[in-house]
């Protein structure tokens, strides 16, 4: 893609008001710059930054989703800000501060609704994707985590304090809520499989996870790996792991263990344990390369300068390296040939080849955290 | 707590030499911030701004940091930091310098 300023300059020269060039966004992405409240527009093919868009508020722990046409991003800030960013015009297209303290969001399958989950006041709020007007408010009385979209204009999310999962169906005029109790003590994050069928919540308050079959008429929680710590005292947790970057490698899930230096392998069909791989530290993200052949793992403070790559056939660590201080996030190119890594305290994004592990490039960024390529627009549950 | 008391008796200014305030500030906003929010207004963990911490004295706050809050996600930082560092962070939070 050609940088926009060239296009604009060319247009100005030609003295024409007509849009001379179509701007493709399929290989673009945004990187969260936590401390400056900005996002960096990046080009995956050129391995370059194109523009910085500022004014998004407190972006610690921020994430975003894309509109189906990959033109707009909806950025969920910690301060409750919901910002709509236009990738084509490289500007903020809308912004509302919708709560005191937000944690993440999702976009409905049809792209019409954007949902935000909030810590304060606890609950989920749903907005019109075009106007950012609120269309539904679902208070839960609890910190709300693990919000994902599933087919049928539905959102699924979980209550940290109450250990419940709620399904909000927005296909009609009013939101229909189904509540599922007994998910376990202090669920901290959740994932949904790419087909929207299985929802898995990780538990902080007990060893284990809970799974729901969303194809079931009346989904009931099913315990996964109960007591996986085998009664050992867990280590203190300095950073909550994320399940959003969960990995489905072949027929197995790979999940970060809480308070332990290992990742857990689970059979995707019957949820039994199929193995464990000892890791360098407490895993934060365990992300499968899109083909499922490798899993890349980063770690909590103070071991967060390292990445380990695990081969999913042998479950062995095949590569270890140190991109730099505070590796916060990893994003694969849609077909997995490269991975982009944000190294917060080096103020850089590093780009690696996933076959040779060679470095392919680096980009300056101010305290970078999440990296999000537009290809996410076409995947469920991200 | 034992060592904290000793420190308190000795007075802390002399210890400032070994501390790296920039690194500690970064730790507070980035690493504590991953649960308490970058601006410490709260997240999974509560608001850590002066008004909400007013009921703590410096030593009490340092001991929450060092030993955590058992049964909650608040981890003990004692494996990763010295008593002097915890006291520095307590002071930093209580003076409102962190805001």
């Amino acid at each position: 893609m050609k940088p926009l300023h060239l296009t604009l300059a060319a247009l100005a020269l030609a003295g024409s008001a007509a849009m001379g060039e179509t701007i493709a966004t399929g290989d673009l992405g945004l990187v969260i710059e936590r401390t400056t409240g900005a996002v960096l527009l990046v080009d995956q093919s050129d391995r370059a930054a194109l523009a910085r868009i500022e004014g998004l508020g407190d972006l610690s722990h921020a994430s975003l989703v894309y509109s189906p046409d990959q033109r707009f991003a909806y950025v969920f800030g910690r301060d409750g800000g919901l910002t709509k960013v236009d990738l084509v015009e490289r500007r903020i297209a809308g912004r509302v501060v919708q709560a005191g303290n937000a944690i993440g969001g999702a976009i409905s399958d049809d792209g019409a609704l954007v949902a935000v989950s909030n810590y304060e006041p606890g609950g989920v709020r749903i907005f019109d994707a075009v106007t950012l007007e609120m269309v539904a408010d679902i208070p839960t009385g609890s910190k709300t985590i693990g919000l994902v979209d599933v087919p049928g204009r539905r959102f699924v999310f979980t209550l940290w304090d109450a250990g419940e999962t709620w399904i909000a169906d927005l296909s009609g005029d009013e939101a229909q809520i189904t509540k599922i109790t007994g998910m376990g003590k202090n669920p901290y994050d959740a994932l949904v499989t790419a087909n929207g069928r299985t929802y898995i919540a990780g538990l902080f308050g007990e060893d284990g996870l809970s799974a729901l079959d969303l194809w079931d008429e009346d989904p009931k929680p099913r315990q996964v790996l109960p007591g996986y710590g085998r009664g050992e005292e867990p280590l203190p947790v300095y950073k909550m792991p994320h399940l959003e970057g969960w990995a489905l490698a072949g027929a197995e899930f790979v999940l970060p263990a809480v308070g332990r230096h290992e990742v857990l392998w689970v059979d995707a069909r019957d949820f039994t344990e199929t193995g464990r791989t000892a890791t360098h530290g407490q895993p934060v993200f365990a992300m499968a390369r899109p083909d499922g052949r490798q899993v890349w793992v980063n770690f909590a403070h103070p071991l967060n300068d390292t990445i380990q790559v695990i081969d999913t056939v042998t479950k062995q660590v095949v590569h270890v390296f140190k991109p730099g201080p505070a590796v916060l996030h990893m994003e694969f190119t849609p077909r997995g040939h490269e991975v982009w890594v944000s190294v917060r305290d080096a103020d850089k994004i590093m780009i690696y080849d996933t076959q040779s592990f060679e470095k392919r490039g680096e980009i300056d960024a101010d305290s970078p955290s999440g990296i999000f390529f537009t290809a996410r627009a076409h995947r469920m549950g991200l | 707590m034992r060592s904290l008391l000793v420190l308190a008796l000795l007075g802390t200014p002399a210890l400032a030499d070994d501390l790296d305030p920039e690194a500690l500030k970064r730790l507070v906003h980035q690493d504590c911030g991953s649960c308490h929010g970058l601006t410490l207004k709260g997240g999974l963990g509560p608001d850590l701004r002066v008004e909400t911490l007013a009921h703590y004295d410096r030593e009490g706050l340092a001991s929450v940091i060092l030993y955590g809050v058992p049964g909650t996600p608040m981890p003990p930082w004692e494996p990763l930091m010295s008593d002097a560092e915890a006291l520095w962070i307590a002071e930093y939070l209580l003076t409102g310098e962190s805001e």
Side-chain angles (χ1 to χ4, degrees):
Chain A
M1 101 139 256
K2 203 169 184 182
L4 186 65
H5 56 265
L6 291 183
T7 315
L8 288 179
L11 281 176
L13 279 177
S16 160
M19 192 46 119
E21 191 183 346
T22 304
I23 306 210
T25 56
D27 64 350
L28 301 187
L30 291 173
V31 178
I32 306 286
E33 296 189 314
R34 337 200 314 155
T35 40
T36 49
V39 288
L40 199 62
L41 179 66
V42 294
D43 185 317
Q44 180 210 298
S45 314
D46 293 350
R47 302 190 192 101
L50 304 176
R52 174 174 282 121
I53 299 156
E54 289 171 327
L56 285 82
D58 178 352
L59 293 183
S60 52
H61 213 294
S63 62
L64 58 84
V65 296
Y66 288 104
S67 62
D69 63 3
Q70 301 179 324
R71 172 169 181 172
F72 297 104
Y74 300 91
V75 184
F76 310 105
R78 197 24 130 20
D79 58 359
L82 165 61
T83 312
K84 182 174 176 180
V85 173
D86 183 338
L87 272 63
V88 171
E89 294 185 3
R90 302 180 178 186
R91 63 180 183 86
I92 293 177
R95 177 170 160 82
V96 289
V97 176
Q98 54 84 39
N101 202 319
I103 184 67
I107 186 162
S108 60
D109 53 0
D110 60 357
L113 301 173
V114 175
V116 191
S117 63
N118 295 315
Y119 277 164
E120 193 49 57
V124 169
R125 287 186 167 155
I126 297 172
F127 299 84
D128 181 299
V130 176
T131 62
L132 300 189
E133 254 166 70
M134 186 154 84
V135 297
D137 184 12
I138 307 170
T140 58
S142 171
K143 290 179 177 135
T144 303
I145 56 99
L147 169 64
V148 300
D149 58 288
V150 294
R153 249 201 184 192
R154 290 179 304 159
F155 295 105
V156 184
F157 48 89
T158 296
L159 282 50
W160 157 270
D161 309 80
E164 293 178 7
T165 293
W166 292 14
I167 303 171
D169 182 335
L170 285 116
S171 56
D173 290 343
E174 293 278 302
Q176 298 288 335
I177 311 287
T178 307
K179 299 179 185 177
I180 299 151
T181 56
M183 290 294 287
K185 192 162 171 235
N186 291 149
Y188 66 89
D189 196 12
L191 66 85
V192 70
T193 50
N195 60 1
R197 176 168 186 175
T198 309
Y199 182 83
I200 301 181
L203 303 175
F204 181 84
E206 56 188 278
D207 275 351
L209 305 101
S210 288
L212 291 175
D213 181 352
L214 300 174
W215 287 9
D216 213 318
E217 278 300 302
D218 179 21
K220 289 273 175 297
R222 169 165 177 181
Q223 283 192 315
V224 180
L225 306 189
Y228 65 71
R230 301 188 183 107
E232 289 162 37
E233 254 317 281
L235 303 165
V237 175
Y238 295 103
K239 186 163 168 55
M240 285 290 181
H242 285 268
L243 293 180
E244 203 178 283
W246 65 283
L248 178 62
E252 289 163 297
F253 292 109
V254 190
L255 301 162
V258 180
R260 299 174 200 283
H261 291 192
E262 56 191 14
V263 295
L264 309 169
W265 300 77
V266 184
D267 186 298
R269 251 159 307 171
D270 65 10
F271 300 115
T272 53
E273 181 177 329
T274 51
R276 292 174 186 223
T277 303
T279 53
H280 173 68
Q282 291 182 26
V284 174
F285 282 103
M287 314 269 278
R289 199 172 69 179
D291 66 347
R293 180 66 205 266
Q294 297 172 345
V295 172
W296 290 54
V297 186
N298 72 332
F299 303 99
H301 176 88
L303 299 172
N304 55 2
D305 59 347
T306 301
I307 288 179
Q308 286 185 315
V309 182
I310 302 173
D311 174 74
T312 55
V313 174
T314 61
K315 299 188 172 62
Q316 299 289 315
V317 174
V318 291
H319 186 61
V320 186
F321 69 113
K322 291 186 190 294
V327 172
L328 292 196
H329 195 227
M330 300 167 284
E331 176 89 335
F332 291 95
T333 56
R335 289 202 260 170
H337 72 301
E338 287 179 354
V339 62
W340 288 39
V341 175
S342 53
V343 188
R344 184 190 69 206
D345 294 349
D347 291 319
K348 295 232 184 278
I349 297 155
M350 311 284 189
I351 304 166
Y352 300 92
D353 183 298
T354 62
Q355 294 288 351
S356 66
F357 304 121
E358 265 166 48
K359 191 157 142 188
R360 288 278 177 251
E362 60 176 58
I363 295 174
D364 290 329
D366 209 334
S367 290
S369 62
I371 305 170
F372 303 89
F373 290 141
T374 52
R376 287 172 172 253
H378 305 298
R379 292 185 55 195
M380 218 184 301
L382 285 182
Chain B
M1 267 329 276
R2 172 185 31 88
S3 44
L4 279 181
L5 287 174
V6 175
L7 280 177
L9 288 174
L10 289 172
T12 45
L15 287 161
D17 296 350
D18 317 331
L19 299 178
D20 177 350
E22 286 314 311
L24 287 171
K25 278 184 204 170
R26 173 170 269 207
L27 175 93
V28 169
H29 293 282
Q30 302 290 353
D31 296 300
C32 309
S34 76
C35 287
H36 292 279
L38 198 70
T39 49
L40 308 179
K41 287 183 198 155
L44 185 65
D47 190 324
L48 292 184
R49 288 174 298 173
V50 187
E51 315 85 78
T52 33
L53 293 180
H55 59 288
Y56 282 106
D57 61 12
R58 194 174 63 134
E59 282 70 26
L61 192 54
S63 91
V64 173
I65 298 169
L66 286 171
Y67 304 108
V69 183
T72 80
M74 174 62 191
W77 288 81
E78 185 255 293
L80 301 182
M81 67 173 71
S82 68
D83 295 359
E85 287 170 325
L87 281 165
W88 188 95
I89 292 173
E91 180 83 25
Y92 179 64
L93 294 173
L94 286 174
T95 53
E97 218 196 302
S98 54
E99 283 165 34

